[in-house]
């Protein structure tokens, strides 16, 4: 829905073209699928780089949750700036 709102407000010509060609839903689904795949890949890589693993989770559950939430937020920002709002 973020991509649709962005297209509608900031890329209206592309939005109208996709609607007229009947490809808007296909485009939105493709962006959504790509975003989910990238989110998983980026998070996995960041967790490995930062040592946020099952051993860390066993030692410090609250710290692990905080670290994972921070990683998710950072990964989402990357995806927003590279995929959703472009």
């Amino acid at each position: 829905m973020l991509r649709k709102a962005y297209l509608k407000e900031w890329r209206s010509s592309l939005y109208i073209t996709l609607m007229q060609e009947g490809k808007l839903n296909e485009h939105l689904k493709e962006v959504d699928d790509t975003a989910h795949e990238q989110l998983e890949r980026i998070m996995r890589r960041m967790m490995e780089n930062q040592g946020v693993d099952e051993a860390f989770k066993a030692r410090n559950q609250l710290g692990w949750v905080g670290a994972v939430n921070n990683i998710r937020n950072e990964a989402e920002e990357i995806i927003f700036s590279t995929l959703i709002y472009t």
Side-chain angles (χ1 to χ4, degrees), residues 16-43:
I16 291 168
T17 301
L18 289 170
M19 278 191 50
Q20 288 174 341
E21 294 175 357
K23 295 182 179 182
L24 180 62
N25 288 333
E26 178 184 334
H27 172 77
L28 296 174
K29 171 96 172 86
E30 182 179 316
V31 169
D32 186 58
D33 291 344
T34 302
H36 281 93
E37 290 170 8
Q38 284 186 8
L39 180 66
E40 289 179 26
R41 188 173 37 250
I42 292 169
M43 283 188 64

Side-chain angles (χ1 to χ4, degrees), residues 8 13 19 21 26 28 48 50 69 71-72 79:
K8 196 171 188 178
S13 61
M19 278 191 50
E21 294 175 357
E26 178 184 334
L28 296 174
E48 288 173 6
Q50 296 179 24
N69 285 339
I71 288 169
R72 176 179 292 279
I79 291 168

Side-chain angles (χ1 to χ4, degrees), residues 38-59:
Q38 284 186 8
L39 180 66
E40 289 179 26
R41 188 173 37 250
I42 292 169
M43 283 188 64
R44 190 174 352 161
R45 206 171 328 131
M46 291 174 78
M47 288 174 73
E48 288 173 6
N49 290 341
Q50 296 179 24
V52 179
D53 55 11
E54 290 299 317
F56 178 64
K57 184 178 179 181
R59 285 190 317 269

